[in-house]
Amino acid sequence: MSHASHYLLLDRIEIEGANAISSPITYGFPALSGFMGAIHALNRKLMQSCLEVDLSGVLVACHEIHVQRYRPHPYTDYTFNQSRNPIKKDDKTASIIEEGKAHLTVSLVLEVSASRQAARDIDDDQATIEQQCKALVFQQRIAGGSVVAIKGVQLYSYTNEEDIKKALLPAFVLMDAQEDLIDITHQMQTTAPEATALDALIEVAALHHEPVANTKSGWKTRSEKTGRGWLVPMPVGYQGLAAVFDAGRLENNRNPEYSSQYVETIYSLGKWVFPRRLPNQFSNCFWRNSQSDNLYLFTQTTEAHQGE
């Protein structure tokens, strides 16, 4: 039986060319699935090297991001910078595939669960495991981008939470803000009872410019986000639209070894939080995979649901 025994800090990972389009309607920071998938792949490689651990949770902290986009002047929409692919074998010009890219620096903290024996093995061979993890991260992509540098990889015991928060500075940690979405929805329903969570999500992305009499500018700007922190709409998983196809039945599937399903994206609210303002229960900062019926979600445990 395994239990959370360590934290693994992947400090200041520099990623080039990550996918900045996080869903069909959101862009700016790579989707959580890009990080969760990369850590799942890392977990499988560690298991293949006979290190019996479960990387059961991922904390995402962003230090810096540069979305590759352009606009000719401040009153136009942004467009993504596009790159032309190399000349093809027949010397013809390759087509431009429209895509959104970003260069970013992130730190990932992984919750390491292991049996008592495996936890003792980690303590005895800590330096080797850190070096092994660093080498494996360099060999794979994260959120579709290439890993070009890592400042360091360090294992912490499960009680050194404050040391990890210090190591993350300065950065902002991506947290679940579902409670804010529910609160905004209820607030909107006081004046418009038919308002839904989708209306609240759209409202968060809106800025209202309203005329005000007897002021110098004559206008004021209003947003539902005011006073609630750095809220961002974000995808948090997928919902199945049809029955699951058995492995090998769906043509042109990326990997025919596994079953597959048509899905659509599920949206919620996220919030960027400074490490000093993270919840007292540090384990609540970690995103985890959650599956129930047709829902495939990335979730965090909130204080309201602690112990459920």
Side-chain angles (χ1 to χ4, degrees):
M1 182 177 180
S2 63
H3 63 283
S5 60
H6 294 80
Y7 293 117
L8 178 66
L9 171 64
L10 308 178
D11 193 19
R12 270 79 169 172
I13 310 172
E14 295 181 22
I15 306 171
E16 282 191 0
N19 187 2
I21 302 174
S22 55
S23 76
I25 61 171
T26 58
Y27 87 97
F29 190 78
L32 269 175
S33 55
F35 299 99
M36 300 293 285
I39 299 308
H40 180 68
L42 175 63
N43 199 160
R44 295 176 68 173
K45 293 174 182 175
L46 290 175
M47 294 285 283
Q48 291 170 0
S49 65
C50 299
L51 184 61
E52 298 291 331
V53 297
D54 179 19
L55 304 180
S56 51
V58 182
L59 178 150
V60 180
C62 182
H63 301 274
E64 188 176 8
I65 182 167
H66 300 281
V67 179
Q68 302 303 294
R69 61 183 183 178
Y70 168 78
R71 60 179 177 178
H73 60 78
Y75 298 103
T76 59
D77 294 331
Y78 282 103
T79 57
F80 286 115
N81 299 347
Q82 303 298 324
S83 60
R84 185 178 291 281
N85 296 319
I87 299 295
K88 296 192 292 188
K89 293 181 179 178
D90 56 2
D91 292 335
K92 292 183 178 178
T93 303
S95 302
I96 293 178
I97 301 174
E98 291 188 343
E99 54 191 2
K101 297 293 185 183
H103 305 328
L104 67 160
T105 302
V106 295
S107 289
L108 303 178
V109 184
L110 315 181
E111 189 180 60
V112 181
S113 296
S115 64
R116 294 185 184 279
Q117 179 59 49
R120 284 193 290 270
D121 293 341
I122 293 173
D123 290 330
D124 295 339
D125 209 6
Q126 184 169 327
T128 303
I129 294 172
E130 292 170 351
Q131 192 61 36
Q132 180 187 11
C133 290
K134 186 174 183 178
L136 289 174
V137 172
F138 267 117
Q139 296 171 13
Q140 65 179 63
R141 288 181 173 268
I142 297 180
S146 302
V147 178
V148 297
I150 305 175
K151 182 180 180 181
V153 175
Q154 187 170 359
L155 277 162
Y156 290 83
S157 74
Y158 201 64
T159 57
N160 285 356
E161 299 167 351
E162 292 303 318
D163 291 340
I164 296 176
K165 291 179 183 179
K166 290 178 184 176
L168 292 176
L169 293 171
F172 287 91
V173 178
L174 185 58
M175 296 292 295
D176 184 15
Q178 186 180 14
E179 296 296 328
D180 288 281
L181 180 61
I182 294 172
D183 188 42
I184 293 172
T185 304
H186 290 166
Q187 186 174 326
M188 292 178 64
Q189 288 173 341
T190 59
T191 55
E194 71 281 4
T196 65
L198 178 60
D199 296 317
L201 199 62
I202 295 172
E203 184 67 23
V204 168
L207 279 177
H208 297 277
H209 298 280
E210 300 173 338
V212 180
N214 303 323
T215 62
K216 184 177 180 181
S217 66
W219 293 88
K220 72 172 184 179
T221 302
R222 177 177 60 83
S223 170
E224 288 295 335
K225 293 191 292 186
T226 303
R228 296 180 181 274
W230 189 355
L231 295 176
V232 286
M234 60 178 284
V236 292
Y238 306 94
Q239 179 181 26
L241 296 176
V244 177
F245 290 91
D246 294 332
R249 284 197 59 195
L250 188 65
E251 292 185 0
N252 302 319
N253 191 6
R254 177 178 292 182
N255 191 335
E257 296 180 7
Y258 299 98
S259 57
S260 53
Q261 188 176 19
Y262 288 110
V263 297
E264 64 179 354
T265 306
I266 296 177
Y267 299 92
S268 184
L269 274 184
K271 180 187 287 187
W272 291 104
V273 179
F274 201 60
R276 295 292 190 192
R277 295 180 178 274
L278 291 176
N280 293 330
Q281 189 68 32
F282 191 55
S283 62
N284 291 356
C285 306
F286 289 78
W287 294 93
R288 296 179 173 82
N289 293 308
S290 171
Q291 194 268 322
S292 175
D293 298 328
N294 269 346
L295 295 176
Y296 307 90
L297 302 176
F298 308 116
T299 61
Q300 287 181 332
T301 304
T302 61
E303 293 184 0
H305 298 93
Q306 194 79 42
E308 291 184 357

